[in-house]
Amino acid sequence: MTMDVTFLGTGSAYPSPHRGASALVLRTEGECWLFDCGEGTQTQLMKSQLRAGRITKVFISHLHGDHLFGLPGLLCTVSLNTNPEQQNLSCVEIYGPRGLRHFLRVTLGLTGSQLLFPYAVHELEPTADQSPEEGQLSLQMTAECGPLHPQEQPGRTIFLDASSDSYLLFEDKRFVVKAFRLFHRVPSFGFCIKEHDRPGRLKTELLKELGLKPGPLYGRLKAGKPVTLESGRVVLSSEVLQEAIPGRKVCVFGDCSSVLGDGPLRLCSGADVLVHEATLGDEHREKAVDHGHSTPEMAAAVARACCARRLVLSHFSQRYKPGSLQKDGDEDDVAELKRQAEDALQDSDVEVTLAEDFLTLPIPLRRP
Amino acid sequence: MTMDVTFLGTGSAYPSPHRGASALVLRTEGECWLFDCGEGTQTQLMKSQLRAGRITKVFISHLHGDHLFGLPGLLCTVSLNTNPEQQNLSCVEIYGPRGLRHFLRVTLGLTGSQLLFPYAVHELEPTADQSPEEGQLSLQMTAECGPLHPQEQPGRTIFLDASSDSYLLFEDKRFVVKAFRLFHRVPSFGFCIKEHDRPGRLKTELLKELGLKPGPLYGRLKAGKPVTLESGRVVLSSEVLQEAIPGRKVCVFGDCSSVLGDGPLRLCSGADVLVHEATLGDEHREKAVDHGHSTPEMAAAVARACCARRLVLSHFSQRYKPGSLQKDGDEDDVAELKRQAEDALQDSDVEVTLAEDFLTLPIPLRRP
Ligand SMILES: [Zn+2]
Ligand SMILES: [Zn+2]
Ligand SMILES: [Zn+2]
Ligand SMILES: [Zn+2]
């Protein structure tokens, strides 16, 4: 089962010709999940190797324009590229903070945008400590005046689960996806995508010794259930299975100057890939924090606390040109951001990567 | 006084890497006026020679996403590039169909977008015949729930002036700007920017003969007023002024399959530049009209009826690559759209130009 992450936009605040606004695609076999959708994401998607039509889930970390303004247009264009003959198109599930449903209903509604597929917006209810008070949306502003959009299906409202300090977005056969709280100028969330562990292989030699032949009983054991032999001996699944194959874990942080509560570190512990913003260099730490943002050192501290395998820095101020456009003597060098994170992670095993537009990172299966 | 038009996006339906979504800038000394603002316009602006900070007025032809989805982000980015020390920033005046005010209030409001300058939305009230019934927005959908955005100033509601079959947007020392009605899937408008005629030069030889010396009386005559000489002889302005210098006229049509009423042709008569959509070639006329669009022949008929000097075709289906990317054997050739319009205008004086992204057309002063 292949899995990879492609960065479509790695710039903060606004899109520019050299860095798109925030957007990232997690691809697993047959499906693309989009994380944030700044203006121009659809064009970045066209420039990439990915196919927009495959986007089945969208996650919006927070309602700043540089993470959101591309979403109505992206949905319209995915619809235009959908075959109208196709039946039973699956619902595009959209997750994000309260207010997102109203945003889409108004932008799609006023522009007369009909979609060929249904969509649903599942809203996360932020807590009052996720932003300064002026960053919080009143209930009046997010109240849904009027009926659902013609293609809108009712979405859920998801509240913080206090015991785990996280939001359960969904769980299916392959993944469990949760959100966690971040502090930013407006309420912001991170997302943790955890692939289920898979049972190890059957120890076939041992099974033969026990007199068990391939068949339904093998399936039972593989599914974790015990089997009773004719002799009356009970064979436990754990006896005959090799070590489980641990599921992969990808964590995508929204804009933040800090995590909130113990949910984030608990959820992201041992992440294969942890994507964190580093808007400005460490020398601008005060300004970064003032604006609700992080520096490489701050991102590194999170990755270290999570024992992440790989920290990917993204969401760079537009003052940092991509490495390929960097000229000798340029003042702001994005490579310096990588050095700062690496310095902070010197005595750890965390690998640091700089995101850039169109970079694809494979996430290999873990060896047990 | 220089004047020119720059195309920032010439593609229909959605932006692509080779054609931006609809946007055009009319530049006169010191000011930029933006016509339509599809997604990605701010990035196109950065790639162009123009400066976003100079945009003082915005005109939205209709509320389709490919003409609108870039506006919230553009306003935010213009604000980010505004010097916060600057006092008395002038109000950005925004004109467009009813619903635009609600669209901006919700998109800027939910994203917590504060602007450093005020803005006002002046809404044009469409008539019921500008689109099929399903393209009309209910009053409920455009009702403005909640207070004004913190930087929003109250805008006007502008109704059709039945006698001239047009909407008067504003008039200042240099220009009068009106809108006119078009038929499309949703109510659509065109804009006519008319520079005032300027008085001709003074016939200085003649004035000397009359015994008039340079001074305030010259100003009086130039302003069109009569002057009485000591002899009692009345000198009329018209006697001593050369022919007036006619003002230039630029007409920008929104998406349409036809004009509505006699306003459009009357207003656009003698246009120096008439920008009209030609989404699909004449061979796809039925499909074009079905979707509320025009073909080159249809655009040519409008330009001919207006006796325009120059017809600029734009808003091409994304199937038409720009000339520079055209390869031998490509089926859809944008040059063919030009030929079709030229064929239809064979026996006229209308010059045909194909718009392309970043094309700038100077609009020279007319000789009297
Ligand atoms: Zn951001
Ligand atoms: Zn943000
Ligand atoms: Zn259009
Ligand atoms: Zn349209």
Side-chain angles (χ1 to χ4, degrees):
Chain A
M1 190 83 73
T2 64
M3 221 170 137
D4 60 30
V5 161
T6 299
F7 294 85
L8 295 177
T10 58
S12 82
Y14 54 87
S16 82
H18 54 269
R19 279 197 200 282
S22 285
L24 170 169
V25 169
L26 174 68
R27 185 164 52 163
T28 65
E29 262 159 54
E31 276 195 56
C32 287
W33 295 356
L34 178 65
F35 291 81
D36 286 335
C37 189
E39 181 177 348
T41 296
Q42 59 171 309
T43 318
Q44 296 287 92
L45 204 47
M46 290 172 207
K47 285 188 194 170
S48 79
Q49 304 296 328
L50 307 172
R51 285 186 46 211
R54 293 267 179 95
I55 290 174
T56 51
K57 297 186 197 297
V58 178
F59 303 83
I60 301 294
S61 65
H62 65 299
L63 299 184
H64 273 155
D66 58 326
H67 300 252
L68 179 60
F69 282 153
L71 186 54
L74 179 101
L75 291 174
C76 292
T77 302
V78 171
S79 176
L80 279 174
N81 291 320
T82 298
N83 177 356
E85 312 281 297
Q86 213 178 319
Q87 300 292 311
N88 300 318
L89 284 162
S90 63
C91 180
V92 174
E93 311 280 344
I94 303 170
Y95 300 86
R98 173 165 57 81
L100 182 55
R101 197 179 290 146
H102 188 50
F103 179 89
L104 276 179
R105 202 177 287 175
V106 168
T107 51
L108 295 176
L110 287 176
T111 55
S113 302
Q114 299 289 331
L115 305 176
L116 289 175
F117 48 82
Y119 79 91
V121 182
H122 308 292
E123 288 190 339
L124 308 185
E125 181 63 40
T127 58
D129 48 355
Q130 281 183 256
S131 77
E133 203 185 328
E134 69 266 22
Q136 289 160 33
L137 294 173
S138 67
L139 286 168
Q140 190 201 12
M141 286 190 74
T142 60
E144 295 140 32
C145 350
L148 273 73
H149 184 78
Q151 282 79 51
E152 185 182 353
Q153 296 187 349
R156 289 179 291 137
T157 299
I158 310 174
F159 294 91
L160 182 71
D161 170 50
S163 67
S164 65
D165 194 21
S166 68
Y167 297 75
L168 176 63
L169 305 195
F170 65 91
E171 178 159 12
D172 63 17
K173 280 187 183 171
R174 290 190 52 206
F175 295 101
V176 54
V177 177
K178 296 183 176 177
F180 50 87
R181 298 178 303 147
L182 300 169
F183 185 85
H184 185 47
R185 274 177 302 139
V186 302
S188 179
F189 294 91
F191 300 101
C192 173
I193 300 91
K194 173 70 175 68
E195 191 183 28
H196 294 310
D197 296 342
R198 275 180 291 175
R201 294 175 179 210
L202 287 168
K203 298 173 181 166
T204 40
E205 286 303 311
L206 178 58
L207 288 167
K208 272 182 205 157
E209 279 172 36
L210 290 165
L212 272 166
K213 282 176 193 148
L217 292 180
Y218 273 40
R220 226 183 122 76
L221 287 163
K222 188 123 193 173
K225 291 174 190 153
V227 162
T228 307
L229 302 180
E230 279 175 23
S231 64
R233 155 117 157 70
V234 176
V235 180
L236 296 176
S237 170
S238 55
E239 292 177 69
V240 295
L241 285 182
Q242 294 177 357
E243 214 176 324
I245 301 164
R248 288 161 283 189
K249 189 186 276 188
V250 178
C251 300
V252 183
F253 281 62
D255 290 4
C256 62
S257 57
S258 68
V259 300
L260 217 70
D262 56 358
L265 301 191
R266 231 196 284 166
L267 274 179
C268 303
S269 170
D272 293 79
V273 170
L274 191 156
V275 181
H276 199 289
E277 67 134 298
T279 306
L280 291 169
D282 289 330
E283 65 281 18
H284 304 294
R285 179 168 182 147
E286 201 180 340
K287 184 179 175 193
V289 172
D290 260 10
H291 289 75
H293 290 302
S294 295
T295 68
E297 193 187 0
M298 293 162 73
V302 171
R304 175 195 289 273
C306 295
C307 303
R309 296 189 171 200
R310 193 199 280 254
L311 166 65
V312 186
L313 301 179
S314 188
H315 196 268
F316 308 118
S317 161
Q318 293 285 356
R319 65 164 77 182
Y320 300 101
K321 297 209 193 85
S324 56
L325 294 180
Q326 193 75 30
K327 284 186 211 112
D328 276 353
D330 275 357
E331 208 171 310
D332 299 300
D333 185 353
V334 75
E336 179 60 23
L337 302 183
K338 187 178 182 209
R339 279 191 290 273
Q340 293 177 348
E342 279 171 343
D343 282 356
L345 288 165
Q346 248 180 43
D347 52 348
S348 79
D349 292 330
V350 186
E351 199 184 330
V352 179
T353 303
L354 285 181
E356 52 181 82
D357 290 16
F358 309 116
L359 172 72
T360 295
L361 289 178
I363 305 169
L365 256 183
R366 289 200 196 180
R367 295 283 139 235
Chain B
M1 192 80 72
T2 64
M3 218 169 138
D4 61 30
V5 161
T6 299
F7 293 85
L8 295 177
T10 58
S12 82
Y14 55 88
S16 82
H18 54 268
R19 279 197 198 282
S22 285
L24 171 169
V25 168
L26 175 69
R27 187 164 51 164
T28 66
E29 261 160 57
E31 273 194 59
C32 287
W33 295 356
L34 178 65
F35 292 80
D36 285 336
C37 189
E39 182 178 346
T41 297
Q42 58 171 310
T43 319
Q44 297 286 93
L45 203 47
M46 291 173 209
K47 286 189 195 170
S48 79
Q49 304 296 328
L50 308 171
R51 285 188 44 211
R54 294 268 178 93
I55 290 174
T56 52
K57 295 186 199 295
V58 179
F59 303 84
I60 302 294
S61 65
H62 66 299
L63 298 185
H64 273 155
D66 59 325
H67 300 251
L68 178 59
F69 282 152
L71 186 53
L74 180 102
L75 293 174
C76 291
T77 302
V78 170
S79 176
L80 279 175
N81 291 319
T82 299
N83 178 357
E85 312 281 298
Q86 214 179 318
Q87 300 292 312
N88 300 319
L89 284 162
S90 63
C91 181
V92 174
E93 312 280 343
I94 303 171
Y95 300 86
R98 173 164 58 79
L100 182 55
R101 197 179 290 147
H102 188 49
F103 179 88
L104 276 179
R105 202 177 286 176
V106 169
T107 52
L108 295 176
L110 287 177
T111 55
S113 303
Q114 299 289 332
L115 305 176
L116 288 173
F117 47 81
Y119 78 92
V121 182
H122 308 292
E123 289 190 339
L124 309 185
E125 182 62 42
T127 58
D129 48 356
Q130 280 181 257
S131 76
E133 203 184 328
E134 68 267 22
Q136 290 161 31
L137 292 174
S138 68
L139 286 168
Q140 189 202 12
M141 284 189 73
T142 60
E144 295 141 32
C145 351
L148 273 73
H149 183 77
Q151 282 80 52
E152 184 181 354
Q153 295 186 350
R156 290 180 290 137
T157 300
I158 310 173
F159 294 91
L160 182 72
D161 170 52
S163 68
S164 65
D165 193 21
S166 69
Y167 297 76
L168 176 63
L169 306 196
F170 64 90
E171 178 158 13
D172 63 17
K173 281 188 179 168
R174 292 190 50 208
F175 295 101
V176 54
V177 177
K178 295 182 177 176
F180 50 87
R181 297 179 302 147
L182 300 170
F183 185 84
H184 185 47
R185 273 177 303 140
V186 301
S188 180
F189 295 91
F191 301 100
C192 173
I193 299 90
K194 173 70 174 70
E195 190 183 32
H196 295 309
D197 295 342
R198 274 181 291 176
R201 293 173 180 217
L202 287 168
K203 298 174 180 167
T204 40
E205 286 301 311
L206 177 57
L207 289 166
K208 272 182 203 157
E209 279 172 35
L210 292 166
L212 271 167
K213 284 179 190 143
L217 292 179
Y218 273 40
R220 224 184 125 77
L221 287 164
K222 188 120 193 178
K225 293 172 187 153
V227 161
T228 309
L229 300 180
E230 277 175 26
S231 65
R233 152 113 156 73
V234 174
V235 180
L236 294 177
S237 170
S238 55
E239 291 178 69
V240 295
L241 284 183
Q242 294 177 356
E243 213 177 325
I245 301 162
R248 290 160 284 189
K249 188 186 276 188
V250 178
C251 300
V252 183
F253 281 62
D255 290 3
C256 61
S257 56
S258 68
V259 300
L260 216 72
D262 57 358
L265 302 190
R266 230 196 284 166
L267 274 180
C268 303
S269 168
D272 293 79
V273 170
L274 190 155
V275 181
H276 199 290
E277 66 134 300
T279 305
L280 291 169
D282 289 330
E283 65 280 19
H284 304 293
R285 180 169 182 145
E286 202 180 339
K287 182 178 174 192
V289 172
D290 259 10
H291 288 75
H293 290 302
S294 295
T295 68
E297 192 187 3
M298 293 162 72
V302 171
R304 176 194 290 271
C306 295
C307 303
R309 297 188 170 198
R310 189 199 282 256
L311 165 65
V312 186
L313 301 179
S314 189
H315 196 268
F316 307 119
S317 162
Q318 293 285 358
R319 65 165 77 183
Y320 300 101
K321 296 211 192 83
S324 55
L325 294 181
Q326 193 76 30
K327 287 187 210 110
D328 276 356
D330 275 358
E331 207 171 311
D332 299 300
D333 186 354
V334 74
E336 179 61 23
L337 302 183
K338 187 177 183 207
R339 279 190 290 273
Q340 292 177 348
E342 278 171 344
D343 281 356
L345 288 165
Q346 245 178 47
D347 52 346
S348 80
D349 292 329
V350 186
E351 197 184 330
V352 179
T353 302
L354 284 181
E356 54 181 81
D357 290 15
F358 309 115
L359 172 73
T360 295
L361 289 178
I363 306 168
L365 256 183
R366 290 198 194 180
R367 298 281 140 237

